[in-house]
């Protein structure tokens, strides 16, 4: 657990001890409040906002890195959704 806390930089503002032991209920609750399709749409809007409102127009490697980051976050959202749904089905 110490290594996990180090990786999180000890900034566990909203993460309870129960969540550290079993994060599934909180991940499930996320999708109750933010359905998967809406989450992907909101994430895209954040990405678009970053492009449109950046002080300097992003280009080259910075733009590529941010698009890669966006794609990985969408994949993470999708995997978390699948994970929580599989657990619900196995109950």
């Amino acid at each position: 657990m110490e290594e996990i806390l180090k990786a999180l930089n000890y900034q566990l503002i909203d993460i309870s001890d129960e969540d550290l032991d079993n994060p599934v209920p909180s991940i499930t609750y996320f999708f109750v409040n933010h359905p998967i399709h809406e989450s992907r749409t909101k994430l895209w809007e954040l990405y678009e906002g970053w492009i449109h409102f950046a002080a300097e127009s992003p280009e080259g490697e910075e733009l590529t890195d941010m698009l890669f980051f966006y794609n990985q976050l969408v994949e993470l959202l999708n995997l978390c959704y699948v994970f929580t749904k599989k657990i619900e089905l196995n109950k």
Side-chain angles (χ1 to χ4, degrees), residues 36-51:
I36 187 68
H37 297 300
E38 289 177 20
S39 295
R40 287 191 297 253
T41 299
K42 288 176 186 177
L43 186 56
W44 178 251
E45 289 171 0
L46 285 171
Y47 176 75
E48 277 186 319
W50 172 76
I51 288 174

Side-chain angles (χ1 to χ4, degrees), residues 61-86:
E61 189 174 331
E62 182 183 16
L63 188 59
T64 301
D65 287 346
M66 188 55 98
L67 186 56
F68 179 68
F69 181 72
Y70 163 79
N71 286 327
Q72 293 278 261
L73 278 176
V74 168
E75 184 177 348
L76 179 63
L77 276 172
N78 291 338
L79 289 171
C80 286
Y81 182 78
V82 168
F83 180 70
T84 57
K85 289 302 175 185
K86 280 185 166 185

Side-chain angles (χ1 to χ4, degrees), residues 1-31:
M1 183 59 77
E2 187 68 26
E3 298 226 1
I4 293 171
L5 293 174
K6 261 187 200 176
L8 292 172
N9 199 23
Y10 296 97
Q11 297 179 11
L12 301 174
I13 296 169
D14 292 335
I15 300 177
S16 68
D17 288 339
E18 288 176 15
D19 286 338
L20 288 174
D21 290 337
N22 181 14
V24 174
S26 291
I27 295 170
T28 302
Y29 189 65
F30 173 86
F31 291 110

